[in-house]
Amino acid sequence: MPRYTVHVRGEWLAVPCGDAQLTVGWLGREAVRRYIRNKPDNGGFASVDDVRFLVRRCKGLGLLDHEDLLEVALEDNEFVEVVIEGDAMSPDFIPSQPEGVYLYSKYREPEKYIALDGDSLTTEDLVSLGKGHYKIKLTPTAEKKVQKSREVIDSIVKEKTVVYGITTGFGKFARTVIPVSVGKPLIPERCRMLLALRINVLAKGYSGISLETLKQVIEVFNASCLPYVPEKGTVGASGDLAPLSHLALGLIGEGKMWSPKSGWADAKYVLAAHGLKPIVLKPKEGLALINGTQMITSLGCEAVERASAIARQADIVAALTLEVLKGTTKAFDTDIHAVRPHRGQVEVAFRFRSLLDSDHHPSEIAESHRFCDRVQDAYTLRCCPQVHGVANDTIAFVKHIITTEINSATDNPMVFASRGETISGGNFHGEYPAKALDYLAIGIHELAAISERRIERLCNPSLSELPAFLVAEGGLNSGFMIAHCTAAALVSENKALCHPSSVDSLSTSAATEDHVSMGGWAARKALRVVEHVEQVLAIELLAACQGIEFLRPLKTTTPLEKVYDLVRSVVRPWIKDRFMAPDIEAAHRLLLEQKVWEVAAPYIEKYRMEHIPESRPVSPTAFSLEFLHKKSPKIPESEDL
């Protein structure tokens, strides 16, 4: 018998349908009838006939025709919403499809697997798992470690030994309260990352979870059934206790859960729709699921991967701006950076050379000012290797810490099967990722700060030799004036967000947790800083491409022309004022999807592989060493020095 799960005014009802000729309208009326029957005051309705409603799918929110047959309009066990006309939306209403669900609008169940062992997960892998590109399985070695760890727990329970967190409660009054969390739920990508990371930690075999339970958790992940996890509420001390408690709540069939098939619904219905049963926890398994730093580090993985992507592309955007402003490439000379050999600085200078070397990639713009007497540019152009470079090195440092953290056991107590005992410690403390993510925010912000100054130079005719605000008919049109204001506002907001959260600590849990990391906020604000950096660089990318319009018919280097063509494939030139937000969003999307890097990277790598001799334009300060020797007075060999 087909069955449908129907959402009416915040409640979920399972409605069986035995007759093949029943319609969508019947399903809506039957759901409303059951809703009224369950309410002491009949929900405020005299009868079902008084209720006017719409019916829509939870997946995609498409409206359904009341006259359509259920067997034609819906699949068995599909989730639908009944929207009663005249209802005002409650402040705590949870929409079927969460923010960011467009990422799942074309969701296809993945066929490929990533094998987790608890030791070798990368930040790139975790982001891919978050995007739904892979399912999860355990390595045979991980399965054995999990089993041995569980044997220790079973022995403790059998012998009735008093052990914290196994045969006792954990934390003061923890047996009575689930920690409070607030805020909107994590979007599907981030909840998938959180769940995948928790699985990876459990796969290490130090948590005492049973292999049976862990495999159930993996089945939930592979079905993309994602618990409702509020984004706020962790202080990063006893791990991310509050959000991980919500994660576990969904796994045991309580609270809300989301899947591409169902939208938000009661967890028990979502699990049932995917042929899954709620997990029944054994001793120690509750604590194993909720203790650790996975909220901080899963968000931190996204932050560090997006930071890495925008940092690479910032070099390309800045190189395009330098061309538009007719800057010199002398500051990127290999010898300059060899005497201050920070890895990031050297790499950024190399990228600039690979994109701007006009002997290798002829640039008509560069040729137009090759013999000018300009010796040096403003810092925002000349110092890109130094400023962008340290951002790259910061990202590398943070990525190392986050990679270590995602492959670490962060439970308490820890189960050491080789010793046959459990030990209480403090691996759940989030100070490492918290400090690293505070540092990431500070380091990556500088890419936006220097980008905003370059946007100012592009817009300012006294500095750019281009029309004011990059528009031909100034006065009638404001051009990039407001876009520059937006960039300045984002940079200013970042200044506040870069204040480190991990320097603060508030004692919690009756002074048991008397020093905390505030790592959850460190992760969330690092992500926000990265997003602002992306948006500021999107504005610079648009401004630089607009500047190119005023230098035509001259062309820039081949790789930068390819970048220009990419931008023009989604944003047309700015002739007269228009609504700019869609243009900025389109450019932001190019950066977010790393399209700018994909276009330029082959040229950068070709330059690297071919070991092309460095082009060194003639400089007004250059001199001949041979000429210098001729001018130097000769000292007689016999004369004492």
Side-chain angles (χ1 to χ4, degrees):
M1 178 186 298
R3 188 187 75 161
Y4 305 97
T5 305
V6 188
H7 188 218
V8 183
R9 284 186 166 180
E11 293 192 11
W12 290 93
L13 303 162
V15 181
C17 305
D19 188 340
Q21 298 304 307
L22 293 174
T23 64
V24 169
W26 175 87
L27 178 64
R29 286 190 297 276
E30 178 62 15
V32 171
R33 185 186 69 79
R34 291 175 180 235
Y35 171 80
I36 290 174
R37 186 183 64 190
N38 292 341
K39 294 295 179 182
D41 60 351
N42 293 330
F45 298 110
S47 71
V48 175
D49 295 334
D50 295 337
V51 183
R52 297 177 61 84
F53 58 84
L54 301 172
V55 182
R56 64 187 182 190
R57 283 187 172 87
C58 287
K59 182 181 180 180
L61 301 182
L63 288 175
L64 298 170
D65 191 317
H66 283 211
E67 304 305 318
D68 283 351
L69 294 176
L70 289 174
E71 65 176 6
V72 175
L74 297 172
E75 297 176 2
D76 184 22
N77 219 348
E78 192 161 346
F79 288 66
V80 296
E81 279 187 317
V82 170
V83 183
I84 297 175
E85 291 185 7
D87 272 4
M89 188 175 291
S90 168
D92 58 355
F93 175 76
I94 303 172
S96 286
Q97 303 296 356
E99 178 188 340
V101 78
Y102 65 87
L103 299 167
Y104 276 75
S105 59
K106 298 180 179 179
Y107 176 79
R108 295 290 182 272
E109 186 174 322
E111 297 179 358
K112 296 182 179 179
Y113 284 81
I114 285 181
L116 298 185
D117 59 6
D119 298 318
S120 52
L121 184 65
T122 67
T123 54
E124 295 91 343
D125 287 343
L126 187 58
V127 171
S128 293
L129 285 165
K131 291 178 179 177
H133 294 167
Y134 300 96
K135 291 182 179 180
I136 286 174
K137 62 181 179 181
L138 297 176
T139 66
T141 300
E143 290 190 3
K144 290 178 183 177
K145 290 194 296 184
V146 170
Q147 286 176 319
K148 287 185 177 297
S149 175
R150 185 62 203 178
E151 288 170 5
V152 175
I153 300 300
D154 290 340
S155 175
I156 290 171
V157 173
K158 183 178 180 180
E159 296 173 8
K160 299 181 180 180
T161 307
V162 178
V163 178
Y164 168 75
I166 299 174
T167 55
T168 73
F170 50 93
K172 192 177 290 291
F173 300 123
R175 65 184 180 277
T176 60
V177 180
I178 289 179
V180 176
S181 294
V182 296
K184 58 189 177 184
L186 295 179
I187 61 173
E189 280 194 342
R190 291 172 184 168
C191 193
R192 280 179 64 88
M193 290 173 67
L194 177 63
L195 185 53
L197 188 50
R198 193 66 209 153
I199 291 169
N200 190 60
V201 170
L202 296 172
K204 290 186 72 69
Y206 295 102
S207 305
I209 197 167
S210 68
L211 184 59
E212 176 191 4
T213 298
L214 181 52
K215 286 188 173 181
Q216 278 188 275
V217 177
I218 292 172
E219 287 176 352
V220 171
F221 175 90
N222 289 342
S224 198
C225 296
L226 308 173
Y228 186 103
V229 180
E231 64 179 5
K232 301 177 184 178
T234 177
V235 294
S238 186
D240 294 317
L241 197 59
L244 289 176
S245 294
H246 284 274
L247 190 74
L249 200 63
L251 297 176
I252 63 174
E254 300 293 335
K256 302 293 182 185
M257 187 173 267
W258 182 91
S259 81
K261 178 178 180 178
S262 67
W264 286 115
D266 288 353
K268 59 184 178 182
Y269 292 131
V270 178
L271 292 172
H274 292 271
L276 302 172
K277 295 181 179 180
I279 293 172
V280 178
L281 298 175
K282 304 177 184 68
K284 174 63 168 73
E285 291 189 330
L287 190 54
L289 289 173
I290 68 174
N291 214 193
T293 61
Q294 284 65 60
M295 177 76 153
I296 304 170
T297 45
S298 59
L299 297 181
C301 278
E302 181 184 345
V304 79
E305 283 300 306
R306 287 175 64 173
S308 182
I310 195 59
R312 288 194 299 265
Q313 295 174 111
D315 299 341
I316 301 166
V317 175
L320 189 59
T321 296
L322 183 138
E323 273 282 89
V324 172
L325 295 175
K326 298 182 178 179
T328 175
T329 59
K330 297 182 183 75
F332 312 123
D333 191 294
T334 303
D335 289 344
I336 290 177
H337 304 285
V339 296
R340 196 196 192 197
H342 293 294
R343 179 176 294 183
Q345 177 178 328
V346 170
E347 177 61 20
V348 171
F350 169 81
R351 289 177 188 164
F352 270 76
R353 290 196 305 275
S354 69
L355 296 169
L356 295 169
D357 188 334
S358 59
D359 285 349
H360 185 59
H361 303 299
S363 166
E364 294 172 353
I365 295 175
E367 286 300 315
S368 73
H369 63 92
R370 178 184 279 269
F371 299 107
C372 72
D373 59 357
R374 181 181 297 178
V375 177
Q376 58 186 19
D377 294 312
Y379 289 1
T380 50
L381 301 176
R382 192 193 338 161
C383 297
C384 281
Q386 291 78 9
V387 178
H388 288 206
V390 73
N392 279 266
D393 287 341
T394 299
I395 293 165
F397 173 80
V398 172
K399 186 171 183 175
H400 174 74
I401 288 181
I402 295 296
T403 302
T404 300
E405 189 72 8
I406 65 176
N407 291 294
S408 296
T410 54
D411 295 20
N412 185 57
M414 307 295 298
V415 181
F416 293 93
S418 61
R419 294 168 55 173
E421 64 178 309
T422 65
I423 305 175
S424 290
N427 278 5
F428 50 72
H429 202 291
E431 197 75 9
Y432 262 101
K435 280 284 187 286
L437 292 168
D438 278 339
Y439 184 31
L440 178 68
I442 294 168
I444 197 70
H445 157 72
E446 216 56 42
L447 295 178
I450 196 171
S451 174
E452 183 274 329
R453 289 292 82 200
R454 290 192 298 261
I455 297 169
E456 155 67 14
R457 299 191 78 81
L458 287 165
C459 291
N460 189 332
S462 65
L463 300 174
S464 68
E465 301 177 4
L466 298 170
F469 302 110
L470 300 170
V471 67
E473 298 181 18
L476 292 174
N477 298 285
S478 60
F480 275 71
M481 179 189 295
I482 304 305
H484 174 235
C485 288
T486 300
L490 293 172
V491 168
S492 184
E493 188 171 326
N494 271 3
K495 293 174 185 177
L497 290 171
C498 284
H499 178 79
S501 63
S502 61
V503 299
D504 191 17
S505 177
L506 287 173
S507 179
T508 62
S509 192
T512 302
E513 300 164 3
D514 57 348
H515 181 277
V516 301
S517 70
M518 297 299 177
W521 175 225
R524 287 190 292 111
K525 69 184 183 63
L527 264 174
R528 194 182 302 179
V529 169
V530 171
E531 183 177 0
H532 290 171
V533 172
E534 294 166 348
Q535 290 165 337
V536 171
L537 279 157
I539 293 170
E540 183 187 353
L541 179 59
L542 291 177
C545 288
Q546 180 66 12
I548 290 283
E549 306 297 340
F550 298 105
L551 301 179
R552 292 303 193 210
L554 301 179
K555 290 191 173 183
T556 180
T557 64
T558 303
L560 294 181
E561 282 290 335
K562 295 292 185 183
V563 172
Y564 168 86
D565 291 342
L566 173 69
V567 174
R568 286 290 169 255
S569 72
V570 296
V571 177
R572 68 184 190 275
W574 193 267
I575 307 301
K576 293 184 178 180
D577 278 0
R578 64 176 186 262
F579 185 39
M580 192 179 273
D583 293 353
I584 296 173
E585 178 52 35
H588 181 208
R589 181 61 51 186
L590 291 178
L591 294 170
L592 195 60
E593 295 176 354
Q594 302 190 55
K595 299 295 186 184
V596 173
W597 177 252
E598 289 175 7
V599 165
Y603 295 93
I604 296 172
E605 292 311 309
K606 186 172 186 289
Y607 193 83
R608 192 190 309 275
M609 297 301 294
E610 293 184 355
H611 305 288
I612 297 167
E614 186 171 339
S615 171
R616 289 193 165 104
V618 176
S619 168
T621 63
F623 54 84
S624 167
L625 290 175
E626 182 181 351
F627 176 78
L628 182 64
H629 288 317
K630 286 180 179 178
K631 287 289 187 178
S632 300
K634 274 197 171 184
I635 301 173
E637 292 181 8
S638 59
E639 187 172 324
D640 293 332
L641 298 180

